[in-house]
Amino acid sequence: MTLEETLKQNTIAIFKSEFDADISADAVTLNITKKEHVGDYTIVVFPLIKFSKKSPEQTAEILGNKLKENSGIVGSFNVIKGFLNLSFTDAFWQTRLKDIAGNKNYGTFAANKRKVVLEYCGPNTNKPLHIGHLRNMLLGFSMSEILKANGYDVTKVNIYNDRGIAICKSMVAYKRYGKGATPQSTGIKGDHFVGDWYVKFNEVANEEIKALPNAPADKDEAQKATSIFKEAHEMLLKWEAGDPETIRDWKQMNDWVYEGFNETFKLLGVDFQKDYHESETYKLGKDIIDEGLAKKVFYKRADGAVAVDLTPDGLDEKVLLRGDGTAIYITQDLGTAQLRHEEFNMEKMIYVVANEQDYHFKVLKLALQKLGKKWADGIFHLSYALVESPTGRFKSREGKTADADDLISEVLRIAEEKTKELGKIEGFTEDEANVLYKTIGLGALKYFVLRVNPYKKIIFNPEESIDFHGHTGPFIQYTHARIRAILRKADPANLADFKNLETLVAVERELIIQLGEYENAVLAAAEKYDPSEVANYVYNLARTYNKFYHECPVLTAATEGEKKFRIALSNQTGIMISKSMKLLGIDVPEKM
RNA sequence: GACCCGGUAGCUCAGCUGGAUAGAGCAACAGUUUUCUAAACUGUCGGUCACUGGUUCGAAUCCAGUCCGGGUCACCA
């Protein structure tokens, strides 16, 4: 039972015995006491006076006395208006630290056998990953770690949009102008190589449009009139017909892209247990359409398209299958969801996809629910807002700042530069130094993205955003390195062993309170699908530790007892920082 | 036009299932190192929580309306 639960249970029991009132745990408002008041935790009694039928002060007074008598952990209390400030005994806090330190699995909840499939990344194979994918991947990976810590059985999957006109555009440009070049021969990373041919396609098409006698004003329409587009379209038809040569070229193109993607995945530390390819799933979903028609949930319109009426749900009529019987985006997503249900029988199906697609996922979930599929209740769209530059949305054609690989190498470069500036790599081998640059650079980048609530847009200024001071990843990493530096000099056998001290310093108590909040952060992050809960938690923990570090000497503490206690406290803080950061997919260094 | 999501300090963000005097970081300014790592710590400066009204003992938080920004309302993905 957590500390909060203990207090709430006690309060419920006291209300029963003292006021003969049945209150729920939700009615008990429990906060950490604001630092300008004396106390550790505060119960707000205003909501409880209707049960006690006494004034706020009287109610708080009675509750405080009884908690002190019964709970065994409340040392003293004070009442200010309707606020009951509880102080726990220093002995209690030290026991609490021992409990936490003694439990290797503290903050990791037992496996609950509940299956989750988490889809993230979802790139197109005709261009490299951009900053949006970066937010997506970091969120997806972190969310998976958080769910695992909550006991879920998580399977991470990726879906590649590997077919359609876009990849054909790259293929045509390559066939026309590539002269047999390869990523190997040019030294260009595979996904960039293919992306460059996509750019080339657009350049050629634009040239053609300029020469067109009466080009349509609409850009897309104009492009369709070009010979290079017609070539790409023909290629798409050949692909769909299964033409061997086209399929072979297409595979080659995609393989180059996957090589490139895999490099980035590896560098970022993200992974997938299963890949889906649209080329294999795009025909799925027809069965569901038939099922919907049979159940009369879907209907065939006069023009032959199959649709579902979602107006009762506040949405619109939505077409699910083209009039010519071919699939669209939603068709295959319906099919893929069904497929995954059959494969995994999961309880939750999480899609990490940008908020542009909020409407799409509402339709997906509703349509499946209307078919009576109970498992569709477990569909959750983890919607996140776009990453924007200070001047607005990043456009792939405006400069290279939005490219994920460029961004990563830039942040690694900065990490190297700053680390050298500070002279922090004395005694490091070259390999160790490179690992450190990576740890710090990626730490800065990942933390920058994950500390923000997913549904809020991120304003990213390439020049200024990635910082290493203050509320940042490196600050937290640095705190860890400091702790490790102390522990290297301490007796490694007894890191968690100490005898209770008479009294604690305020910041020591505060630190133990925060160590005890880890579980809450892990729970909240899963419940809200929000890694920033963990990011903000670990920042506060690191901040408190740095305060402690300045106020309280550890190795040179006044007494041996104090020293042992502070070593244990430092050790546990280091563990919680490391665990928290791991939930964010961020490594912490031993030295920096 | 309808619907969805945002709007909190100069900037980037917490707080939002209602609770005490709205918190951090950056930036600016002033300090702290013969002591375990100064990527740190301490202090100062900085607020009409977009606006108006309502609900209540109490509103940044809930409700209604307005304004601003973004997104969606495709037989594109």
Side-chain angles (χ1 to χ4, degrees), chain A residues 399-422:
Chain A
K400 300 198 90 186
T401 48
D403 181 83
D405 291 312
D406 287 349
L407 194 55
I408 293 168
S409 49
E410 173 67 2
V411 83
L412 296 189
R413 190 191 62 74
I414 296 171
E416 176 170 352
E417 191 182 289
K418 299 242 177 181
T419 305
K420 283 180 174 164
E421 245 172 53
L422 289 169

mmCIF file with all atom_site columns, all heavy atoms in Angstrom, chain A residues 399-422:
data_model
loop_
_atom_site.group_PDB
_atom_site.id
_atom_site.type_symbol
_atom_site.label_atom_id
_atom_site.label_alt_id
_atom_site.label_comp_id
_atom_site.label_asym_id
_atom_site.label_entity_id
_atom_site.label_seq_id
_atom_site.pdbx_PDB_ins_code
_atom_site.Cartn_x
_atom_site.Cartn_y
_atom_site.Cartn_z
_atom_site.occupancy
_atom_site.B_iso_or_equiv
_atom_site.pdbx_formal_charge
_atom_site.auth_seq_id
_atom_site.auth_comp_id
_atom_site.auth_asym_id
_atom_site.auth_atom_id
_atom_site.pdbx_PDB_model_num
ATOM 1   N N   . GLY A 1 399 ? 14.510 24.131 -46.085 1.00 0.00 ? 399 GLY A N   1
ATOM 2   C CA  . GLY A 1 399 ? 15.725 23.872 -45.317 1.00 0.00 ? 399 GLY A CA  1
ATOM 3   C C   . GLY A 1 399 ? 15.773 22.462 -44.774 1.00 0.00 ? 399 GLY A C   1
ATOM 4   O O   . GLY A 1 399 ? 14.844 21.688 -44.943 1.00 0.00 ? 399 GLY A O   1
ATOM 5   N N   . LYS A 1 400 ? 16.837 22.145 -44.075 1.00 0.00 ? 400 LYS A N   1
ATOM 6   C CA  . LYS A 1 400 ? 17.038 20.771 -43.635 1.00 0.00 ? 400 LYS A CA  1
ATOM 7   C C   . LYS A 1 400 ? 16.803 20.601 -42.138 1.00 0.00 ? 400 LYS A C   1
ATOM 8   O O   . LYS A 1 400 ? 17.018 19.541 -41.603 1.00 0.00 ? 400 LYS A O   1
ATOM 9   C CB  . LYS A 1 400 ? 18.457 20.317 -43.995 1.00 0.00 ? 400 LYS A CB  1
ATOM 10  C CG  . LYS A 1 400 ? 18.728 20.356 -45.500 1.00 0.00 ? 400 LYS A CG  1
ATOM 11  C CD  . LYS A 1 400 ? 19.933 19.517 -45.857 1.00 0.00 ? 400 LYS A CD  1
ATOM 12  C CE  . LYS A 1 400 ? 19.505 18.082 -46.177 1.00 0.00 ? 400 LYS A CE  1
ATOM 13  N NZ  . LYS A 1 400 ? 20.661 17.212 -46.392 1.00 0.00 ? 400 LYS A NZ  1
ATOM 14  N N   . THR A 1 401 ? 16.390 21.659 -41.487 1.00 0.00 ? 401 THR A N   1
ATOM 15  C CA  . THR A 1 401 ? 16.292 21.630 -40.024 1.00 0.00 ? 401 THR A CA  1
ATOM 16  C C   . THR A 1 401 ? 15.296 20.594 -39.524 1.00 0.00 ? 401 THR A C   1
ATOM 17  O O   . THR A 1 401 ? 15.372 20.196 -38.386 1.00 0.00 ? 401 THR A O   1
ATOM 18  C CB  . THR A 1 401 ? 15.864 22.990 -39.475 1.00 0.00 ? 401 THR A CB  1
ATOM 19  O OG1 . THR A 1 401 ? 14.751 23.452 -40.228 1.00 0.00 ? 401 THR A OG1 1
ATOM 20  C CG2 . THR A 1 401 ? 16.989 23.981 -39.549 1.00 0.00 ? 401 THR A CG2 1
ATOM 21  N N   . ALA A 1 402 ? 14.356 20.179 -40.371 1.00 0.00 ? 402 ALA A N   1
ATOM 22  C CA  . ALA A 1 402 ? 13.334 19.265 -39.898 1.00 0.00 ? 402 ALA A CA  1
ATOM 23  C C   . ALA A 1 402 ? 13.766 17.807 -40.035 1.00 0.00 ? 402 ALA A C   1
ATOM 24  O O   . ALA A 1 402 ? 13.073 16.913 -39.599 1.00 0.00 ? 402 ALA A O   1
ATOM 25  C CB  . ALA A 1 402 ? 12.032 19.488 -40.661 1.00 0.00 ? 402 ALA A CB  1
ATOM 26  N N   . ASP A 1 403 ? 14.931 17.581 -40.618 1.00 0.00 ? 403 ASP A N   1
ATOM 27  C CA  . ASP A 1 403 ? 15.372 16.206 -40.824 1.00 0.00 ? 403 ASP A CA  1
ATOM 28  C C   . ASP A 1 403 ? 15.901 15.585 -39.530 1.00 0.00 ? 403 ASP A C   1
ATOM 29  O O   . ASP A 1 403 ? 16.737 16.165 -38.841 1.00 0.00 ? 403 ASP A O   1
ATOM 30  C CB  . ASP A 1 403 ? 16.472 16.182 -41.894 1.00 0.00 ? 403 ASP A CB  1
ATOM 31  C CG  . ASP A 1 403 ? 16.949 14.769 -42.153 1.00 0.00 ? 403 ASP A CG  1
ATOM 32  O OD1 . ASP A 1 403 ? 16.284 14.076 -42.930 1.00 0.00 ? 403 ASP A OD1 1
ATOM 33  O OD2 . ASP A 1 403 ? 17.954 14.365 -41.541 1.00 0.00 ? 403 ASP A OD2 1
ATOM 34  N N   . ALA A 1 404 ? 15.387 14.400 -39.219 1.00 0.00 ? 404 ALA A N   1
ATOM 35  C CA  . ALA A 1 404 ? 15.721 13.768 -37.942 1.00 0.00 ? 404 ALA A CA  1
ATOM 36  C C   . ALA A 1 404 ? 17.209 13.474 -37.815 1.00 0.00 ? 404 ALA A C   1
ATOM 37  O O   . ALA A 1 404 ? 17.814 13.756 -36.779 1.00 0.00 ? 404 ALA A O   1
ATOM 38  C CB  . ALA A 1 404 ? 14.909 12.486 -37.771 1.00 0.00 ? 404 ALA A CB  1
ATOM 39  N N   . ASP A 1 405 ? 17.804 12.918 -38.853 1.00 0.00 ? 405 ASP A N   1
ATOM 40  C CA  . ASP A 1 405 ? 19.222 12.557 -38.771 1.00 0.00 ? 405 ASP A CA  1
ATOM 41  C C   . ASP A 1 405 ? 20.105 13.796 -38.590 1.00 0.00 ? 405 ASP A C   1
ATOM 42  O O   . ASP A 1 405 ? 21.057 13.780 -37.822 1.00 0.00 ? 405 ASP A O   1
ATOM 43  C CB  . ASP A 1 405 ? 19.650 11.798 -40.034 1.00 0.00 ? 405 ASP A CB  1
ATOM 44  C CG  . ASP A 1 405 ? 19.013 10.418 -40.094 1.00 0.00 ? 405 ASP A CG  1
ATOM 45  O OD1 . ASP A 1 405 ? 19.056 9.712  -39.080 1.00 0.00 ? 405 ASP A OD1 1
ATOM 46  O OD2 . ASP A 1 405 ? 18.457 10.072 -41.149 1.00 0.00 ? 405 ASP A OD2 1
ATOM 47  N N   . ASP A 1 406 ? 19.767 14.860 -39.318 1.00 0.00 ? 406 ASP A N   1
ATOM 48  C CA  . ASP A 1 406 ? 20.543 16.100 -39.182 1.00 0.00 ? 406 ASP A CA  1
ATOM 49  C C   . ASP A 1 406 ? 20.449 16.645 -37.768 1.00 0.00 ? 406 ASP A C   1
ATOM 50  O O   . ASP A 1 406 ? 21.422 17.097 -37.178 1.00 0.00 ? 406 ASP A O   1
ATOM 51  C CB  . ASP A 1 406 ? 20.018 17.162 -40.157 1.00 0.00 ? 406 ASP A CB  1
ATOM 52  C CG  . ASP A 1 406 ? 20.402 16.843 -41.593 1.00 0.00 ? 406 ASP A CG  1
ATOM 53  O OD1 . ASP A 1 406 ? 21.233 15.933 -41.775 1.00 0.00 ? 406 ASP A OD1 1
ATOM 54  O OD2 . ASP A 1 406 ? 19.873 17.491 -42.501 1.00 0.00 ? 406 ASP A OD2 1
ATOM 55  N N   . LEU A 1 407 ? 19.228 16.583 -37.261 1.00 0.00 ? 407 LEU A N   1
ATOM 56  C CA  . LEU A 1 407 ? 18.985 17.099 -35.918 1.00 0.00 ? 407 LEU A CA  1
ATOM 57  C C   . LEU A 1 407 ? 19.797 16.322 -34.885 1.00 0.00 ? 407 LEU A C   1
ATOM 58  O O   . LEU A 1 407 ? 20.428 16.903 -33.997 1.00 0.00 ? 407 LEU A O   1
ATOM 59  C CB  . LEU A 1 407 ? 17.497 16.952 -35.635 1.00 0.00 ? 407 LEU A CB  1
ATOM 60  C CG  . LEU A 1 407 ? 16.933 17.686 -34.457 1.00 0.00 ? 407 LEU A CG  1
ATOM 61  C CD1 . LEU A 1 407 ? 17.254 19.161 -34.575 1.00 0.00 ? 407 LEU A CD1 1
ATOM 62  C CD2 . LEU A 1 407 ? 15.434 17.469 -34.435 1.00 0.00 ? 407 LEU A CD2 1
ATOM 63  N N   . ILE A 1 408 ? 19.796 15.007 -35.037 1.00 0.00 ? 408 ILE A N   1
ATOM 64  C CA  . ILE A 1 408 ? 20.527 14.162 -34.096 1.00 0.00 ? 408 ILE A CA  1
ATOM 65  C C   . ILE A 1 408 ? 22.023 14.451 -34.183 1.00 0.00 ? 408 ILE A C   1
ATOM 66  O O   . ILE A 1 408 ? 22.676 14.660 -33.160 1.00 0.00 ? 408 ILE A O   1
ATOM 67  C CB  . ILE A 1 408 ? 20.256 12.671 -34.374 1.00 0.00 ? 408 ILE A CB  1
ATOM 68  C CG1 . ILE A 1 408 ? 18.793 12.339 -34.074 1.00 0.00 ? 408 ILE A CG1 1
ATOM 69  C CG2 . ILE A 1 408 ? 21.173 11.792 -33.522 1.00 0.00 ? 408 ILE A CG2 1
ATOM 70  C CD1 . ILE A 1 408 ? 18.339 10.988 -34.580 1.00 0.00 ? 408 ILE A CD1 1
ATOM 71  N N   . SER A 1 409 ? 22.557 14.518 -35.407 1.00 0.00 ? 409 SER A N   1
ATOM 72  C CA  . SER A 1 409 ? 24.001 14.732 -35.487 1.00 0.00 ? 409 SER A CA  1
ATOM 73  C C   . SER A 1 409 ? 24.378 16.118 -34.974 1.00 0.00 ? 409 SER A C   1
ATOM 74  O O   . SER A 1 409 ? 25.446 16.303 -34.396 1.00 0.00 ? 409 SER A O   1
ATOM 75  C CB  . SER A 1 409 ? 24.543 14.482 -36.895 1.00 0.00 ? 409 SER A CB  1
ATOM 76  O OG  . SER A 1 409 ? 23.778 15.152 -37.844 1.00 0.00 ? 409 SER A OG  1
ATOM 77  N N   . GLU A 1 410 ? 23.483 17.076 -35.165 1.00 0.00 ? 410 GLU A N   1
ATOM 78  C CA  . GLU A 1 410 ? 23.750 18.414 -34.641 1.00 0.00 ? 410 GLU A CA  1
ATOM 79  C C   . GLU A 1 410 ? 23.829 18.409 -33.117 1.00 0.00 ? 410 GLU A C   1
ATOM 80  O O   . GLU A 1 410 ? 24.721 18.994 -32.509 1.00 0.00 ? 410 GLU A O   1
ATOM 81  C CB  . GLU A 1 410 ? 22.650 19.376 -35.112 1.00 0.00 ? 410 GLU A CB  1
ATOM 82  C CG  . GLU A 1 410 ? 22.696 20.766 -34.507 1.00 0.00 ? 410 GLU A CG  1
ATOM 83  C CD  . GLU A 1 410 ? 23.912 21.592 -34.933 1.00 0.00 ? 410 GLU A CD  1
ATOM 84  O OE1 . GLU A 1 410 ? 24.723 21.092 -35.748 1.00 0.00 ? 410 GLU A OE1 1
ATOM 85  O OE2 . GLU A 1 410 ? 24.075 22.708 -34.423 1.00 0.00 ? 410 GLU A OE2 1
ATOM 86  N N   . VAL A 1 411 ? 22.916 17.701 -32.496 1.00 0.00 ? 411 VAL A N   1
ATOM 87  C CA  . VAL A 1 411 ? 22.881 17.698 -31.035 1.00 0.00 ? 411 VAL A CA  1
ATOM 88  C C   . VAL A 1 411 ? 24.070 16.891 -30.477 1.00 0.00 ? 411 VAL A C   1
ATOM 89  O O   . VAL A 1 411 ? 24.622 17.226 -29.430 1.00 0.00 ? 411 VAL A O   1
ATOM 90  C CB  . VAL A 1 411 ? 21.506 17.207 -30.532 1.00 0.00 ? 411 VAL A CB  1
ATOM 91  C CG1 . VAL A 1 411 ? 21.406 15.726 -30.507 1.00 0.00 ? 411 VAL A CG1 1
ATOM 92  C CG2 . VAL A 1 411 ? 21.205 17.778 -29.172 1.00 0.00 ? 411 VAL A CG2 1
ATOM 93  N N   . LEU A 1 412 ? 24.498 15.894 -31.203 1.00 0.00 ? 412 LEU A N   1
ATOM 94  C CA  . LEU A 1 412 ? 25.688 15.151 -30.780 1.00 0.00 ? 412 LEU A CA  1
ATOM 95  C C   . LEU A 1 412 ? 26.932 16.036 -30.896 1.00 0.00 ? 412 LEU A C   1
ATOM 96  O O   . LEU A 1 412 ? 27.817 16.006 -30.044 1.00 0.00 ? 412 LEU A O   1
ATOM 97  C CB  . LEU A 1 412 ? 25.866 13.884 -31.622 1.00 0.00 ? 412 LEU A CB  1
ATOM 98  C CG  . LEU A 1 412 ? 24.769 12.819 -31.507 1.00 0.00 ? 412 LEU A CG  1
ATOM 99  C CD1 . LEU A 1 412 ? 25.188 11.543 -32.230 1.00 0.00 ? 412 LEU A CD1 1
ATOM 100 C CD2 . LEU A 1 412 ? 24.431 12.509 -30.069 1.00 0.00 ? 412 LEU A CD2 1
ATOM 101 N N   . ARG A 1 413 ? 26.949 16.802 -31.944 1.00 0.00 ? 413 ARG A N   1
ATOM 102 C CA  . ARG A 1 413 ? 28.079 17.710 -32.147 1.00 0.00 ? 413 ARG A CA  1
ATOM 103 C C   . ARG A 1 413 ? 28.156 18.729 -31.002 1.00 0.00 ? 413 ARG A C   1
ATOM 104 O O   . ARG A 1 413 ? 29.224 18.984 -30.432 1.00 0.00 ? 413 ARG A O   1
ATOM 105 C CB  . ARG A 1 413 ? 27.921 18.450 -33.479 1.00 0.00 ? 413 ARG A CB  1
ATOM 106 C CG  . ARG A 1 413 ? 29.149 19.249 -33.911 1.00 0.00 ? 413 ARG A CG  1
ATOM 107 C CD  . ARG A 1 413 ? 28.857 20.160 -35.094 1.00 0.00 ? 413 ARG A CD  1
ATOM 108 N NE  . ARG A 1 413 ? 27.836 21.170 -34.793 1.00 0.00 ? 413 ARG A NE  1
ATOM 109 C CZ  . ARG A 1 413 ? 28.041 22.249 -34.037 1.00 0.00 ? 413 ARG A CZ  1
ATOM 110 N NH1 . ARG A 1 413 ? 29.217 22.454 -33.481 1.00 0.00 ? 413 ARG A NH1 1
ATOM 111 N NH2 . ARG A 1 413 ? 27.076 23.117 -33.816 1.00 0.00 ? 413 ARG A NH2 1
ATOM 112 N N   . ILE A 1 414 ? 27.007 19.287 -30.649 1.00 0.00 ? 414 ILE A N   1
ATOM 113 C CA  . ILE A 1 414 ? 26.982 20.272 -29.564 1.00 0.00 ? 414 ILE A CA  1
ATOM 114 C C   . ILE A 1 414 ? 27.431 19.630 -28.254 1.00 0.00 ? 414 ILE A C   1
ATOM 115 O O   . ILE A 1 414 ? 28.196 20.216 -27.484 1.00 0.00 ? 414 ILE A O   1
ATOM 116 C CB  . ILE A 1 414 ? 25.572 20.878 -29.401 1.00 0.00 ? 414 ILE A CB  1
ATOM 117 C CG1 . ILE A 1 414 ? 25.183 21.649 -30.667 1.00 0.00 ? 414 ILE A CG1 1
ATOM 118 C CG2 . ILE A 1 414 ? 25.513 21.799 -28.192 1.00 0.00 ? 414 ILE A CG2 1
ATOM 119 C CD1 . ILE A 1 414 ? 23.733 22.107 -30.693 1.00 0.00 ? 414 ILE A CD1 1
ATOM 120 N N   . ALA A 1 415 ? 26.969 18.410 -28.025 1.00 0.00 ? 415 ALA A N   1
ATOM 121 C CA  . ALA A 1 415 ? 27.338 17.713 -26.790 1.00 0.00 ? 415 ALA A CA  1
ATOM 122 C C   . ALA A 1 415 ? 28.848 17.529 -26.717 1.00 0.00 ? 415 ALA A C   1
ATOM 123 O O   . ALA A 1 415 ? 29.465 17.740 -25.666 1.00 0.00 ? 415 ALA A O   1
ATOM 124 C CB  . ALA A 1 415 ? 26.635 16.363 -26.719 1.00 0.00 ? 415 ALA A CB  1
ATOM 125 N N   . GLU A 1 416 ? 29.445 17.172 -27.828 1.00 0.00 ? 416 GLU A N   1
ATOM 126 C CA  . GLU A 1 416 ? 30.891 16.984 -27.869 1.00 0.00 ? 416 GLU A CA  1
ATOM 127 C C   . GLU A 1 416 ? 31.621 18.294 -27.577 1.00 0.00 ? 416 GLU A C   1
ATOM 128 O O   . GLU A 1 416 ? 32.529 18.355 -26.745 1.00 0.00 ? 416 GLU A O   1
ATOM 129 C CB  . GLU A 1 416 ? 31.296 16.440 -29.248 1.00 0.00 ? 416 GLU A CB  1
ATOM 130 C CG  . GLU A 1 416 ? 32.796 16.309 -29.407 1.00 0.00 ? 416 GLU A CG  1
ATOM 131 C CD  . GLU A 1 416 ? 33.207 15.551 -30.672 1.00 0.00 ? 416 GLU A CD  1
ATOM 132 O OE1 . GLU A 1 416 ? 32.309 14.999 -31.356 1.00 0.00 ? 416 GLU A OE1 1
ATOM 133 O OE2 . GLU A 1 416 ? 34.410 15.516 -30.956 1.00 0.00 ? 416 GLU A OE2 1
ATOM 134 N N   . GLU A 1 417 ? 31.152 19.330 -28.256 1.00 0.00 ? 417 GLU A N   1
ATOM 135 C CA  . GLU A 1 417 ? 31.777 20.639 -28.104 1.00 0.00 ? 417 GLU A CA  1
ATOM 136 C C   . GLU A 1 417 ? 31.724 21.119 -26.646 1.00 0.00 ? 417 GLU A C   1
ATOM 137 O O   . GLU A 1 417 ? 32.730 21.525 -26.072 1.00 0.00 ? 417 GLU A O   1
ATOM 138 C CB  . GLU A 1 417 ? 31.014 21.603 -29.013 1.00 0.00 ? 417 GLU A CB  1
ATOM 139 C CG  . GLU A 1 417 ? 31.637 22.944 -29.220 1.00 0.00 ? 417 GLU A CG  1
ATOM 140 C CD  . GLU A 1 417 ? 30.721 23.792 -30.121 1.00 0.00 ? 417 GLU A CD  1
ATOM 141 O OE1 . GLU A 1 417 ? 30.626 23.479 -31.329 1.00 0.00 ? 417 GLU A OE1 1
ATOM 142 O OE2 . GLU A 1 417 ? 30.096 24.735 -29.612 1.00 0.00 ? 417 GLU A OE2 1
ATOM 143 N N   . LYS A 1 418 ? 30.536 21.032 -26.040 1.00 0.00 ? 418 LYS A N   1
ATOM 144 C CA  . LYS A 1 418 ? 30.368 21.519 -24.666 1.00 0.00 ? 418 LYS A CA  1
ATOM 145 C C   . LYS A 1 418 ? 31.171 20.678 -23.688 1.00 0.00 ? 418 LYS A C   1
ATOM 146 O O   . LYS A 1 418 ? 31.756 21.207 -22.735 1.00 0.00 ? 418 LYS A O   1
ATOM 147 C CB  . LYS A 1 418 ? 28.889 21.450 -24.264 1.00 0.00 ? 418 LYS A CB  1
ATOM 148 C CG  . LYS A 1 418 ? 28.012 22.299 -25.125 1.00 0.00 ? 418 LYS A CG  1
ATOM 149 C CD  . LYS A 1 418 ? 27.320 23.375 -24.315 1.00 0.00 ? 418 LYS A CD  1
ATOM 150 C CE  . LYS A 1 418 ? 26.522 24.233 -25.280 1.00 0.00 ? 418 LYS A CE  1
ATOM 151 N NZ  . LYS A 1 418 ? 25.815 25.323 -24.634 1.00 0.00 ? 418 LYS A NZ  1
ATOM 152 N N   . THR A 1 419 ? 31.181 19.377 -23.915 1.00 0.00 ? 419 THR A N   1
ATOM 153 C CA  . THR A 1 419 ? 31.901 18.501 -23.002 1.00 0.00 ? 419 THR A CA  1
ATOM 154 C C   . THR A 1 419 ? 33.390 18.802 -23.043 1.00 0.00 ? 419 THR A C   1
ATOM 155 O O   . THR A 1 419 ? 34.048 18.880 -22.002 1.00 0.00 ? 419 THR A O   1
ATOM 156 C CB  . THR A 1 419 ? 31.643 17.033 -23.383 1.00 0.00 ? 419 THR A CB  1
ATOM 157 O OG1 . THR A 1 419 ? 30.234 16.810 -23.409 1.00 0.00 ? 419 THR A OG1 1
ATOM 158 C CG2 . THR A 1 419 ? 32.272 16.088 -22.382 1.00 0.00 ? 419 THR A CG2 1
ATOM 159 N N   . LYS A 1 420 ? 33.896 19.029 -24.241 1.00 0.00 ? 420 LYS A N   1
ATOM 160 C CA  . LYS A 1 420 ? 35.320 19.360 -24.375 1.00 0.00 ? 420 LYS A CA  1
ATOM 161 C C   . LYS A 1 420 ? 35.617 20.706 -23.727 1.00 0.00 ? 420 LYS A C   1
ATOM 162 O O   . LYS A 1 420 ? 36.606 20.861 -23.020 1.00 0.00 ? 420 LYS A O   1
ATOM 163 C CB  . LYS A 1 420 ? 35.714 19.381 -25.847 1.00 0.00 ? 420 LYS A CB  1
ATOM 164 C CG  . LYS A 1 420 ? 35.888 17.989 -26.420 1.00 0.00 ? 420 LYS A CG  1
ATOM 165 C CD  . LYS A 1 420 ? 36.278 18.037 -27.885 1.00 0.00 ? 420 LYS A CD  1
ATOM 166 C CE  . LYS A 1 420 ? 36.596 16.647 -28.417 1.00 0.00 ? 420 LYS A CE  1
ATOM 167 N NZ  . LYS A 1 420 ? 36.608 16.633 -29.903 1.00 0.00 ? 420 LYS A NZ  1
ATOM 168 N N   . GLU A 1 421 ? 34.731 21.660 -23.970 1.00 0.00 ? 421 GLU A N   1
ATOM 169 C CA  . GLU A 1 421 ? 34.881 22.986 -23.381 1.00 0.00 ? 421 GLU A CA  1
ATOM 170 C C   . GLU A 1 421 ? 35.033 22.913 -21.866 1.00 0.00 ? 421 GLU A C   1
ATOM 171 O O   . GLU A 1 421 ? 35.835 23.625 -21.267 1.00 0.00 ? 421 GLU A O   1
ATOM 172 C CB  . GLU A 1 421 ? 33.624 23.804 -23.679 1.00 0.00 ? 421 GLU A CB  1
ATOM 173 C CG  . GLU A 1 421 ? 33.828 25.014 -24.571 1.00 0.00 ? 421 GLU A CG  1
ATOM 174 C CD  . GLU A 1 421 ? 32.484 25.624 -24.937 1.00 0.00 ? 421 GLU A CD  1
ATOM 175 O OE1 . GLU A 1 421 ? 31.693 25.917 -24.016 1.00 0.00 ? 421 GLU A OE1 1
ATOM 176 O OE2 . GLU A 1 421 ? 32.211 25.784 -26.152 1.00 0.00 ? 421 GLU A OE2 1
ATOM 177 N N   . LEU A 1 422 ? 34.237 22.078 -21.267 1.00 0.00 ? 422 LEU A N   1
ATOM 178 C CA  . LEU A 1 422 ? 34.235 21.972 -19.805 1.00 0.00 ? 422 LEU A CA  1
ATOM 179 C C   . LEU A 1 422 ? 35.356 21.068 -19.296 1.00 0.00 ? 422 LEU A C   1
ATOM 180 O O   . LEU A 1 422 ? 35.522 20.906 -18.094 1.00 0.00 ? 422 LEU A O   1
ATOM 181 C CB  . LEU A 1 422 ? 32.882 21.427 -19.317 1.00 0.00 ? 422 LEU A CB  1
ATOM 182 C CG  . LEU A 1 422 ? 31.708 22.393 -19.444 1.00 0.00 ? 422 LEU A CG  1
ATOM 183 C CD1 . LEU A 1 422 ? 30.402 21.660 -19.198 1.00 0.00 ? 422 LEU A CD1 1
ATOM 184 C CD2 . LEU A 1 422 ? 31.847 23.558 -18.477 1.00 0.00 ? 422 LEU A CD2 1
#
